Amino acid sequence: MFKSAYLSIAIVAALLVSLSNCQSPVVEEKAPAEEPAFSYHKEQQQFKKASDGCRTDSNECAIIEIDFPQFREPAAVFQRINDSILHYIKTSLSPEDMGNVATLDDLGNRFIQDYNEYTAEAKTRAEEDNSDPFITPWSIETYGIVTFESPKLVSIELSTYSYTGGAHPNTTVTLLNYDTKTGKPITIKDLVKDKRKLVQLAEKKFRETHELAPNASLNEEGFFWDGKFQLSENIGLSKEGLWFFYNSYEIAAYAVGPTEFVLSWEELGDLVDMNKVK
């Protein structure tokens, strides 16, 4: 009897173990994959050129380094956008209006030629004065990226550092926006429903950026020559919102440097016509 009871208990235990082993494994729920960000076909183009002196003396050297985006979409509209980006790149290489007729290589050679003439004149003056020539290296470096892209528009940032003698180098940022249906530039007026309201929001954010009181005089604080807040002409789009950028010298002394801030899409609310953005 005890043997029979023992066997019964053993059989039940075995069945319980077997059932527990047959249970389906717990499957961890995976978070849904994020949809890939919208992106056009594009690639970075590079252009580099340096004077012969760069090989032996970094102090007697002129160098150009440019890296910028070009779209590889088949539609002709993107060629217009590419041409416009390239025009701005060329402008950074030449103070003259040569961007429409000269190639990058032509402008690069002109830059090197100007530098060689500068060094030759410096050496001639030094010989006449019986002194050491004062020669500094020159450079132009431009880097461009796509900051925003959607089926309706793209935004580009071109950042340029240049030094061709003088008290200090110059750094500028140019923000470009294009309609992907026409290839034409887009201005803030094309996107914003109420420019007056945008000015109010931008001034509030500007003051917060510089830690200025709402009633502080902008002119007395060293901003805006006429004392009145003005929207930057340099406005681009980013994933976060509208990006405002004031270059050095634009609204204040060089020592102040550039000013930039972003008005988020949440802060903008329905002020921007999102049907024209996404």
Side-chain angles (χ1 to χ4, degrees):
M1 177 177 179
F2 290 105
K3 183 176 181 182
S4 175
Y6 175 79
L7 287 173
S8 297
I9 293 172
I11 291 170
V12 170
L15 287 172
L16 290 174
V17 171
S18 176
L19 286 172
S20 66
N21 289 337
C22 292
Q23 289 180 350
S24 300
V26 177
V27 179
E28 294 184 5
E29 291 187 8
K30 294 183 179 180
E34 292 186 6
E35 291 187 15
F38 182 88
S39 180
Y40 290 106
H41 295 95
K42 53 190 177 296
E43 62 184 27
Q44 293 294 115
Q45 296 288 308
Q46 287 82 35
F47 175 79
K48 295 184 179 181
K49 188 173 284 288
S51 64
D52 292 339
C54 296
R55 301 172 185 171
T56 57
D57 188 352
S58 60
N59 286 324
E60 191 172 327
C61 173
I63 189 168
I64 300 168
E65 294 186 355
I66 300 174
D67 190 307
F68 61 101
Q70 291 280 270
F71 293 93
R72 291 292 173 254
E73 295 290 332
V77 64
F78 284 93
Q79 187 56 53
R80 298 190 200 110
I81 296 174
N82 288 341
D83 291 343
S84 180
I85 295 171
L86 185 57
H87 174 75
Y88 280 94
I89 295 291
K90 291 177 180 179
T91 300
S92 71
L93 285 176
S94 174
E96 303 170 6
D97 187 18
M98 297 176 59
N100 292 323
V101 295
T103 65
L104 272 180
D105 199 53
D106 292 336
L107 294 171
N109 289 336
R110 174 67 179 272
F111 180 77
I112 300 298
Q113 180 183 337
D114 289 346
Y115 182 75
N116 290 336
E117 292 175 358
Y118 150 74
T119 57
E121 290 174 3
K123 291 176 181 178
T124 299
R125 287 195 302 270
E127 290 179 2
E128 293 173 350
D129 299 338
N130 194 26
S131 61
D132 294 329
F134 179 74
I135 297 174
T136 60
W138 285 8
S139 67
I140 294 181
E141 302 166 27
T142 297
Y143 183 71
I145 59 172
V146 176
T147 63
F148 182 89
E149 53 189 321
S150 77
K152 296 182 178 179
L153 63 82
V154 293
S155 292
I156 314 293
E157 174 200 359
L158 298 177
S159 179
T160 299
Y161 167 93
S162 65
Y163 181 74
T164 56
H168 53 72
N170 291 308
T171 301
T172 60
V173 168
T174 302
L175 304 179
L176 309 171
N177 310 294
Y178 298 99
D179 185 324
T180 58
K181 303 302 180 185
T182 65
K184 295 180 179 179
I186 291 178
T187 66
I188 200 64
K189 292 186 295 183
D190 299 321
L191 301 176
V192 175
K193 301 174 183 177
D194 187 341
K195 186 177 179 181
R196 182 184 59 82
K197 181 69 178 297
L198 178 66
V199 171
Q200 293 175 349
L201 289 176
E203 180 173 356
K204 182 175 182 292
K205 180 69 76 169
F206 179 92
R207 289 177 179 272
E208 291 173 356
T209 301
H210 286 287
E211 299 181 346
L212 302 176
N215 60 347
S217 168
L218 293 174
N219 185 258
E220 291 178 3
E221 295 291 343
F223 299 101
F224 299 99
W225 314 120
D226 60 1
K228 183 180 179 181
F229 177 82
Q230 296 177 8
L231 283 181
S232 172
E233 295 183 0
N234 226 12
I235 302 176
L237 282 81
S238 69
K239 183 179 179 181
E240 292 74 25
L242 288 184
W243 178 21
F244 297 74
F245 198 101
Y246 299 84
N247 283 295
S248 298
Y249 281 133
E250 187 177 347
I251 58 171
Y254 178 82
V256 175
T259 294
E260 62 176 308
F261 57 84
V262 172
L263 282 175
S264 69
W265 299 121
E266 290 75 18
E267 290 172 310
L268 291 162
D270 61 357
L271 192 58
V272 173
D273 187 349
M274 298 305 291
N275 290 324
K276 296 180 179 179
V277 173
K278 296 182 178 181

